[in-house]
Amino acid sequence: MAKTSLMNWLLINLEEGPIDDFVDLIEVKNKYSVELQLEVTSMSIGNCISKKFPKVNVKNGRCKGNWSKVTKRYYGLKWKNNLATETDSSIFACPIPEDFFVISKNTNSLNVGHFSNTMINGMKVLTETQLNHDNTWSLLVMGKIIDPSNLGIDSSFSINTVFDIIRQLSYCEGVHEIDESKLGKDIFKEHVSPASDENSEKINYRSKHCYRVLPFKNSNRASKTCVKCKKLEKPVKETTQATIDTLNYNCTDSIGECTDDQNLLLCKSDNNDMSIILNNVFPECSDKMKTFLLSQKMAMETNPNGRRWDRDIVHLCLTLWCRSPKGYNELRNSKFLMLPSAKLLQRFKNMVNQESGIKKDMLQWMANKNIPPEGYEGGLIIDEMSIQPDLQLKKKNGEIELIGFSEVVPESIAFGQMQSNKKERILATHVLQLVFLGSTGFRFPFAHFPSCTASGHELYLLLWKSVNMLSNFGFTIQFISTDGAQTNRDLFKLLLPDFKSSNPKTCSFRNIYSSGDVKIFFIMDFSHVIKKIRNNISKSGQESQCKRHLQLGGHFIEWRHFRQAYLWDISSHSFPVYHKLSQDHIFLTSEAKMRNHLAEEVLNTDMLHLMKLFQKSLGEAGSELNSTIELLENTSVLIKNFRDNRPITDSSDDRLRQNHDVLDFFIKWENDNLSDEKIKRKEFSMISHQTRQDIISSILGFEELCLYKLKKNSASVIPSRLNSDVVENIFCQQRTLHNGANTNPTYLSYCHSMNSIILGQTTVSRKSNTGGETAQPYSHQVTKKV
């Protein structure tokens, strides 16, 4: 390559610029090779630049195109006709947090650094992050480039969320002891110490192929070791029968020296010894029973202050103690079993501090569950419960806090003070509970807020904040489920402003935190929809107290039809046709109106069968029941399909077609009444427009969700899981099992009871709206945070 041609190319493409602008050597070399299809040496480029641009300042730095490489930077130069600027760039519009610092930046990317709290070989671990102009990003940890998609998170996150993700990264700590047979050049030896105590040092071993950062969906996050380093770990020696007779179970066999107030675990050698002994004595003994029997033997032979307990034992005792502390203490004091003290269990239970807001401790606890990959996809259940408005004191880290003010989102507090021009706080009258419901049935109440009936715009902000925070921990929100309260309907209008019940198009909206056309579906809670249909019918008739007179196809739907059918059944048959029907179903009270099963049992297939028999008994006069029977034919289909425990695995499932036919029935009913000139009071002749919207959202949103999931992958949807029964059961336990029957707790009492509810989720009161029939236990485990 001639020197003059390189010089001319540099003069054509480069010019002097601001002192902060720069071009790097690798960038110039690559562009020259691409444009002219010629090779050039780095020395030639450096000599030409120094001659033609003598004022430039040369420094070493990272390459713009490949930031893991170090090259020469020529400050005071810029490319000619470069239209890329730093303005209007999303990566420069976001402020850098205080615990991050800028390493380098250019027109296409921004490189920031963050130090972890761990020191290796006397230096803090630096995590370098490259934020690109197209909102993609990558990591460089301990010299290894990491793609975020390998961690179980999207590589195209918004810049605001990247900083939170980096703070939550779990780094591989290697192993303490390795197999001596694997010693070689592929193993690194490191001196590791916490940043807070540099004098406390330990030696770890790391594989050359170490992943550096643990994925979010990784069973080894609790052990802080990646798969590559785990293979280096020293294997546990098998214990022979000869050494079993001389076993000496002492405190040094387990991890550290612990007291009865700490998490005490069994070591691996104990498990091997247990298997050998108990397989001979109890051939059919399960692994959990072996663990329990060995823990009893060790507890009897060990001083009470030095006992060690297996995680499964602590897990079981936590569940029993959270259900009934008195019952657990009686069992422990009976001397039939050796069990951990209540003080130890209480410490485990209170490791996660329950307070308002979406807290990372709760999300970390939630992510540490044994969840299959498909369980990370699910929905967000939102509901509110009344509490006692009361201001209480809470001590936290030696400081006193006031608990009981309404605080859903910080923006709502600021806007409220600006609107009223007063710096005042309002006592909360409700608590807003958020529950994640996974596709596998896993559910977790990850956040709660004190409120005064949260408004639609507050729920809107809270919804997107929840979607964002959950996505940082690997969870994907695919649907939203709420009841038919006015504030939830306001949220529905904000998300779907063009929705019309007479001509519905869709009940889905785009997920703004995901790249591509990823949708979220809005599904009104089916249990509340059925109750609202029943309530509309109960108000239909010609009596003075009736507010509606439902009309369908020239006939009326009245509540007296149900009352007459019930009275005819119990008076005409020694054994009633519909034996479940009672006065609570027909003569409604304020309490009976809240019970889900009473509404469903008056609109299901059994009620349809009774109504047909009653119509037949009336002869020709039974024609007035035609519209009532037609409505029951559709509601019974909905109840049967939405309470079905069988999964929907194919888009051609007959239940989807049946639900769509019911959807067409309600739409046609509304359109026929609106177009019928003989009907003067059109709204008076139909169920309320709020209920009509809820019905459409419940059916159409569920149908779209099923088609979306079945088209996306080979997933399945179980209809009976998609409802708010899980959050209703939480509210029931708050009112009855933990805070006294028939009383609403204060917000502080609500917080104190939440950990007990999470740890003892098999306890479901039958006094709840759902009756406890659909409740299933949480799958949970004891972790460092519990």
Side-chain angles (χ1 to χ4, degrees):
M1 173 59 208
K3 187 176 182 180
T4 54
S5 62
L6 172 61
M7 190 77 71
N8 292 336
W9 184 86
L10 293 174
L11 292 175
I12 293 173
N13 291 276
L14 294 176
E15 62 180 357
E16 293 185 357
I19 192 173
D20 293 333
D21 287 357
F22 69 90
V23 296
D24 60 58
L25 179 60
I26 295 180
E27 181 185 14
V28 175
K29 187 176 180 180
N30 291 340
K31 285 190 176 183
Y32 181 83
S33 301
V34 171
E35 291 184 10
L36 299 184
Q37 299 296 318
L38 295 173
E39 295 294 332
V40 63
T41 63
S42 301
M43 182 178 297
S44 299
I45 295 176
N47 292 335
C48 292
I49 291 179
S50 61
K51 289 183 179 181
K52 287 300 179 182
F53 305 100
K55 296 182 180 180
V56 299
N57 187 15
V58 183
K59 295 181 180 180
N60 290 330
R62 295 191 179 274
C63 174
K64 292 181 181 179
N66 188 354
W67 61 293
S68 62
K69 294 184 178 180
V70 178
T71 184
K72 292 186 180 296
R73 292 178 173 178
Y74 299 96
Y75 285 87
L77 285 183
K78 67 176 183 179
W79 295 99
K80 292 182 179 179
N81 301 324
N82 190 2
L83 300 179
T85 63
E86 294 185 5
T87 60
D88 299 329
S89 177
S90 61
I91 61 175
F92 298 108
C94 180
I96 304 300
E98 295 181 356
D99 53 339
F100 287 79
F101 57 91
V102 177
I103 297 177
S104 64
K105 66 178 181 179
N106 54 53
T107 57
N108 296 320
S109 63
L110 173 68
N111 298 333
V112 297
H114 178 264
F115 285 107
S116 70
N117 293 325
T118 303
M119 297 186 66
I120 296 179
N121 297 328
M123 300 178 62
K124 288 186 177 181
V125 176
L126 173 64
T127 301
E128 300 182 38
T129 308
Q130 177 170 310
L131 309 176
N132 300 318
H133 187 77
D134 57 355
N135 285 341
T136 60
W137 62 294
S138 57
L139 295 170
L140 180 66
V141 181
M142 291 182 267
K144 186 179 183 65
I145 298 178
I146 299 172
D147 187 355
S149 60
N150 295 333
L151 304 180
I153 53 181
D154 200 337
S155 60
S156 180
F157 269 77
S158 63
I159 301 303
N160 291 325
T161 64
V162 170
F163 301 118
D164 284 335
I165 295 176
I166 295 173
R167 295 189 187 100
Q168 298 159 13
L169 292 176
S170 292
Y171 301 94
C172 175
E173 297 181 355
V175 295
H176 305 303
E177 297 182 1
I178 62 173
D179 186 0
E180 296 181 357
S181 62
K182 297 182 180 179
L183 285 174
K185 61 181 180 179
D186 292 340
I187 298 178
F188 298 125
K189 183 178 180 181
E190 299 173 338
H191 298 269
V192 182
S193 62
S196 58
D197 185 10
E198 299 181 6
N199 296 323
S200 176
E201 185 179 86
K202 60 183 179 180
I203 297 177
N204 282 0
Y205 298 89
R206 186 187 304 277
S207 170
K208 179 181 179 180
H209 307 289
C210 175
Y211 291 150
R212 304 307 195 270
V213 179
L214 300 178
F216 280 92
K217 303 177 183 178
N218 194 321
S219 60
N220 289 328
R221 281 179 67 89
S223 63
K224 300 292 186 181
T225 307
C226 71
V227 177
K228 296 295 183 181
C229 294
K230 198 72 175 177
K231 294 180 180 179
L232 305 177
E233 193 172 15
K234 184 178 181 180
V236 180
K237 296 182 178 180
E238 295 292 338
T239 307
T240 62
Q241 184 65 37
T243 44
I244 291 178
D245 299 331
T246 59
L247 277 175
N248 182 20
Y249 296 98
N250 52 49
C251 298
T252 58
D253 287 339
S254 298
I255 303 174
E257 294 184 1
C258 304
T259 64
D260 193 40
D261 295 334
Q262 296 174 320
N263 182 15
L264 308 174
L265 308 176
L266 299 176
C267 65
K268 294 182 179 179
S269 60
D270 289 335
N271 289 329
N272 292 333
D273 301 336
M274 171 193 66
S275 299
I276 296 173
I277 297 173
L278 296 181
N279 281 337
N280 296 327
V281 180
F282 304 106
E284 302 298 329
C285 185
S286 65
D287 292 338
K288 290 187 177 181
M289 185 179 294
K290 294 175 184 177
T291 302
F292 175 75
L293 294 175
L294 181 61
S295 69
Q296 295 298 294
K297 183 178 187 301
M298 293 184 64
M300 289 185 293
E301 297 178 352
T302 308
N303 186 281
N305 293 328
R307 289 173 181 166
R308 283 151 174 76
W309 301 101
D310 188 87
R311 290 181 183 272
D312 291 337
I313 302 299
V314 178
H315 160 216
L316 175 63
C317 294
L318 265 176
T319 303
L320 297 175
W321 182 73
C322 288
R323 295 180 192 174
S324 176
K326 291 184 178 180
Y328 177 81
N329 290 332
E330 289 184 5
L331 180 62
R332 185 172 184 270
N333 295 333
S334 67
K335 305 302 181 181
F336 281 100
L337 299 174
M338 304 290 289
L339 299 177
S341 66
K343 186 177 180 181
L344 181 146
L345 300 179
Q346 187 174 15
R347 174 170 292 189
F348 272 109
K349 183 181 79 71
N350 295 331
M351 284 298 292
V352 174
N353 183 33
Q354 288 289 340
E355 53 187 356
S356 64
I358 305 176
K359 302 301 179 182
K360 295 177 182 178
D361 285 347
M362 287 294 291
L363 296 178
Q364 187 69 41
W365 184 6
M366 176 178 170
N368 282 336
K369 305 297 183 183
N370 294 324
I371 314 171
E374 58 272 15
Y376 284 82
E377 296 182 348
L380 180 63
I381 314 296
I382 305 175
D383 204 352
E384 279 187 325
M385 184 189 87
S386 298
I387 60 174
Q388 297 181 36
D390 190 16
L391 193 62
Q392 295 180 304
L393 300 178
K394 178 182 179 182
K395 188 175 182 180
K396 180 181 178 182
N397 297 329
E399 298 181 356
I400 302 298
E401 294 183 353
L402 291 176
I403 303 296
F405 290 117
S406 175
E407 45 178 316
V408 178
V409 289
E411 294 84 357
S412 65
I413 299 175
F415 291 154
Q417 293 178 351
M418 293 172 59
Q419 184 178 7
S420 62
N421 198 22
K422 295 181 181 179
K423 291 186 177 181
E424 60 180 7
R425 300 289 298 276
I426 303 173
L427 288 179
T429 59
H430 292 75
V431 59
L432 179 68
Q433 181 67 59
L434 305 182
V435 178
F436 174 80
L437 177 61
S439 300
T440 59
F442 165 77
R443 58 196 190 275
F444 196 91
F446 65 91
H448 48 80
F449 302 83
S451 67
C452 293
T453 307
S455 60
H457 67 273
E458 290 177 329
L459 293 176
Y460 182 85
L461 296 174
L462 193 58
L463 162 65
W464 289 119
K465 183 177 181 180
S466 302
V467 172
N468 183 24
M469 291 290 289
L470 287 170
S471 63
N472 292 344
F473 286 83
F475 293 93
T476 303
I477 296 297
Q478 294 182 330
F479 69 90
I480 310 295
S481 181
T482 67
D483 59 18
Q486 183 58 46
T487 56
N488 295 328
R489 193 170 291 105
D490 293 339
L491 171 64
F492 182 79
K493 292 179 181 178
L494 290 173
L495 296 172
L496 299 167
D498 300 328
F499 180 84
K500 293 182 180 179
S501 60
S502 58
N503 187 23
K505 299 296 183 182
T506 183
C507 283
S508 64
F509 52 94
R510 195 179 72 86
N511 187 345
I512 62 176
Y513 288 106
S514 295
S515 58
D517 189 22
V518 179
K519 294 184 177 181
I520 299 177
F521 303 90
F522 201 108
I523 305 175
M524 282 293 180
D525 177 47
F526 170 76
S527 300
H528 286 82
V529 168
I530 292 298
K531 285 192 294 187
K532 296 184 75 172
I533 294 176
R534 189 275 315 277
N535 293 342
N536 274 265
I537 300 174
S538 66
K539 299 175 183 178
S540 176
Q542 297 179 337
E543 294 86 352
S544 58
Q545 71 273 14
C546 293
K547 300 179 181 180
R548 297 185 179 276
H549 200 195
L550 305 184
Q551 186 173 351
L552 172 63
H555 294 88
F556 294 102
I557 302 174
E558 298 178 354
W559 187 245
R560 66 179 179 88
H561 297 162
F562 294 82
R563 185 169 57 249
Q564 291 173 354
Y566 165 68
L567 296 175
W568 170 80
D569 187 19
I570 61 175
S571 62
S572 303
H573 305 94
S574 302
F575 297 96
V577 175
Y578 191 5
H579 65 279
K580 284 189 177 181
L581 208 59
S582 64
Q583 293 190 12
D584 291 337
H585 294 81
I586 304 301
F587 303 99
L588 298 175
T589 61
S590 58
E591 181 182 354
K593 289 180 180 179
M594 297 296 295
R595 310 290 280 190
N596 293 346
H597 72 95
L598 294 182
E600 294 178 11
E601 289 169 358
V602 84
L603 295 174
N604 62 5
T605 306
D606 293 332
M607 190 69 209
L608 173 63
H609 176 62
L610 174 60
M611 193 65 69
K612 287 182 177 180
L613 293 179
F614 177 58
Q615 181 189 40
K616 186 177 180 180
S617 68
L618 296 177
E620 296 181 357
S623 59
E624 66 173 350
L625 301 178
N626 288 342
S627 296
T628 303
I629 291 177
E630 185 178 359
L631 176 62
L632 286 174
E633 289 174 344
N634 289 274
T635 58
S636 61
V637 170
L638 285 183
I639 295 172
K640 180 187 66 174
N641 291 342
F642 274 92
R643 293 304 183 191
D644 198 340
N645 293 323
R646 297 173 301 166
I648 296 177
T649 58
D650 190 82
S651 57
S652 61
D653 195 295
D654 194 52
R655 287 170 289 181
L656 294 178
R657 180 193 59 78
Q658 293 174 358
N659 290 345
H660 195 80
D661 291 341
V662 177
L663 177 67
D664 293 338
F665 163 77
F666 282 103
I667 296 175
K668 183 177 182 299
W669 183 9
E670 179 177 356
N671 292 330
D672 289 348
N673 284 24
L674 292 176
S675 61
D676 193 344
E677 297 180 354
K678 297 180 181 179
I679 302 177
K680 303 301 180 184
R681 302 173 62 185
K682 299 185 183 301
E683 282 295 328
F684 183 73
S685 66
M686 296 183 293
I687 56 180
S688 64
H689 68 278
Q690 296 94 336
T691 305
R692 298 199 300 269
Q693 290 182 354
D694 293 351
I695 295 172
I696 302 302
S697 171
S698 179
I699 302 175
L700 184 59
F702 175 76
E703 178 182 349
E704 289 184 311
L705 173 66
C706 292
L707 296 178
Y708 176 79
K709 289 180 67 67
L710 294 175
K711 181 180 179 181
K712 181 181 177 182
N713 49 40
S714 58
S716 62
V717 180
I718 298 179
S720 62
R721 287 179 177 167
L722 271 69
N723 51 62
S724 64
D725 290 355
V726 291
V727 69
E728 291 289 353
N729 285 324
I730 292 175
F731 292 159
C732 162
Q733 294 180 70
Q734 285 283 359
R735 294 190 187 103
T736 58
L737 294 177
H738 297 283
N739 293 302
N742 302 322
T743 59
N744 290 326
T746 62
Y747 183 67
L748 185 59
S749 300
Y750 190 95
C751 294
H752 288 167
S753 304
M754 185 52 67
N755 280 348
S756 296
I757 292 175
I758 295 175
L759 293 170
Q761 281 303 311
T762 52
T763 303
V764 177
S765 173
R766 296 189 177 273
K767 295 182 180 180
S768 66
N769 295 346
T770 62
E773 297 177 359
T774 60
Q776 298 178 8
Y778 280 122
S779 173
H780 63 278
Q781 62 180 1
V782 178
T783 66
K784 293 183 179 180
K785 283 293 182 182
V786 184

